[in-house]
Amino acid sequence: EGKRAARGIRLVLRGKTKEFSIEYPCRTHTGYSWYRLVVTPINRYKNEGAVVMHIDVTQRKHAEQALKLSEEQYRLLFYDNPLPMWVFDPETLKIIAVNDESILSDGFSKTEFLKMKVTDLIHPDEKKRYLDYRMKFNAEDHDFNSKARNVGMWKHVTKRGGIIDVEITRRPVIYKGINAVLVLAKDITERINALESLEKRNREISLLYEEEKKLSSSLDPAKIYDMIFAIISQILPRSSVVISSFDRENSSISCIAAWLAGKKMDSSL
């Protein structure tokens, strides 16, 4: 940098350039300080020497370095995040940035995403709910001191027309100088399906327990068969059922009760 500075000063002294400047670090006992060297002629029309200034720009340089580090951390947290994330404009609802995981999981290309609004990702049945939510929290979208907020579960539409359950977390941010909202969408479809299956199984167990008590109190085969059909109809979506008996001695099977489209048939025929 010293050679470059000397060359610049000579150019100013010879009238070859109107101004020369360069920024350089200087080691101190606490680390590095940054200075800006500015050289201008004393008289632009006569070669009477030059004015040389050393301006301390350490604070600005440190701020720029911190901003660069922040941007690198942002890129790592946003673009390389294993969960789908996007940024949208709260005024227009247009998506203005999207990470790679959103592209992979939803099937839309980056170009397609950037032409969409957040409402395009919401299931039609939930758009009114979203608009009500937006009115309620519109002021919060402009409060950049507010923390990230979990706004619950939403039905999310993919490019292939699939519907998935996502848990949404959102936070107001400044993106490229404009007010925006950062959204993280966690797919919880499998968890919801597992919970629904568990609840269904619990209902079935409870139903079987209640019906078992009724069966044990009846000795009428016809009533027992009717109860069995009622149990099967509730557990499985079936309206046609055949109950058969197996004769071990004759190795024969015979129909003892049957229902077709929910109507009980005469099994003696």
Side-chain angles (χ1 to χ4, degrees):
E1 297 294 347
K3 291 181 179 180
R4 186 181 170 194
R7 186 167 58 252
I9 293 172
R10 285 195 295 270
L11 290 173
V12 173
L13 291 172
R14 293 171 184 170
K16 299 295 185 180
T17 183
K18 294 181 180 180
E19 181 180 301
F20 171 78
S21 66
I22 185 175
E23 292 184 359
Y24 62 92
C26 181
R27 184 185 291 274
T28 67
H29 67 283
T30 58
Y32 278 95
S33 293
W34 282 83
Y35 294 91
R36 178 180 175 84
L37 170 68
V38 181
V39 184
T40 57
I42 294 175
N43 189 326
R44 292 187 177 183
Y45 305 103
K46 295 182 181 180
N47 188 3
E48 297 179 353
V51 176
V52 180
M53 294 179 288
H54 291 268
I55 305 169
D56 189 340
V57 294
T58 304
Q59 288 187 346
R60 177 177 63 79
K61 205 69 177 179
H62 286 173
E64 290 174 352
Q65 291 172 342
L67 178 61
K68 183 178 180 181
L69 177 61
S70 176
E71 290 175 346
E72 289 174 352
Q73 291 174 335
Y74 161 76
R75 282 193 292 270
L76 177 64
L77 293 173
F78 182 74
Y79 288 106
D80 296 336
N81 198 297
L83 294 174
M85 301 177 75
W86 60 87
V87 179
F88 73 93
D89 182 335
E91 297 297 331
T92 64
L93 301 183
K94 290 195 67 174
I95 296 172
I96 55 180
V98 62
N99 72 350
D100 294 339
E101 187 58 33
S102 291
I103 295 170
L104 289 173
S105 61
D106 291 345
F108 297 104
S109 68
K110 182 177 181 180
T111 301
E112 289 173 323
F113 260 116
L114 298 181
K115 292 180 180 178
M116 297 169 66
K117 294 184 177 182
V118 289
T119 47
D120 295 326
L121 297 173
I122 299 172
H123 190 275
D125 293 346
E126 294 198 322
K127 286 189 178 181
K128 183 180 183 303
R129 175 190 167 203
Y130 174 77
L131 294 176
D132 292 342
Y133 166 87
R134 185 191 178 204
M135 291 179 63
K136 183 178 179 181
F137 293 102
N138 186 53
E140 185 179 280
D141 287 344
H142 296 82
D143 180 6
F144 302 101
N145 293 317
S146 63
K147 297 180 180 179
R149 174 188 288 272
N150 184 312
V151 294
M153 187 186 77
W154 297 77
K155 295 291 184 183
H156 187 97
V157 181
T158 68
K159 182 177 181 178
R160 294 175 289 277
I163 300 172
I164 59 176
D165 296 303
V166 293
E167 188 176 55
I168 296 293
T169 302
R170 50 183 277 150
R171 189 186 192 284
V173 295
I174 300 266
Y175 179 78
K176 293 186 177 181
I178 67 170
N179 297 342
V181 177
L182 172 67
V183 175
L184 182 149
K186 182 179 181 181
D187 187 346
I188 57 171
T189 306
E190 290 186 4
R191 188 175 80 188
I192 295 298
N193 289 342
L195 287 173
E196 290 178 349
S197 296
L198 180 60
E199 291 174 357
K200 181 175 181 292
R201 181 59 58 192
N202 287 338
R203 289 195 300 269
E204 291 172 354
I205 291 172
S206 177
L207 174 64
L208 289 172
Y209 175 73
E210 293 299 325
E211 294 300 331
E212 186 274 336
K213 290 194 296 183
K214 295 179 182 178
L215 285 172
S216 63
S217 64
S218 176
L219 297 177
D220 184 346
K223 289 183 179 180
I224 293 176
Y225 301 150
D226 289 341
M227 290 180 186
I228 292 173
F229 174 71
I231 295 171
I232 293 174
S233 298
Q234 291 185 58
I235 295 178
L236 300 173
R238 299 288 184 271
S239 59
S240 298
V241 175
V242 174
I243 300 176
S244 302
S245 66
F246 177 67
D247 188 333
R248 290 180 179 274
E249 294 183 1
N250 299 318
S251 297
S252 62
I253 298 175
S254 59
C255 175
I256 54 177
W259 291 261
L260 181 62
K263 181 179 179 182
K264 190 171 184 179
M265 310 299 292
D266 185 354
S267 58
S268 62
L269 299 178

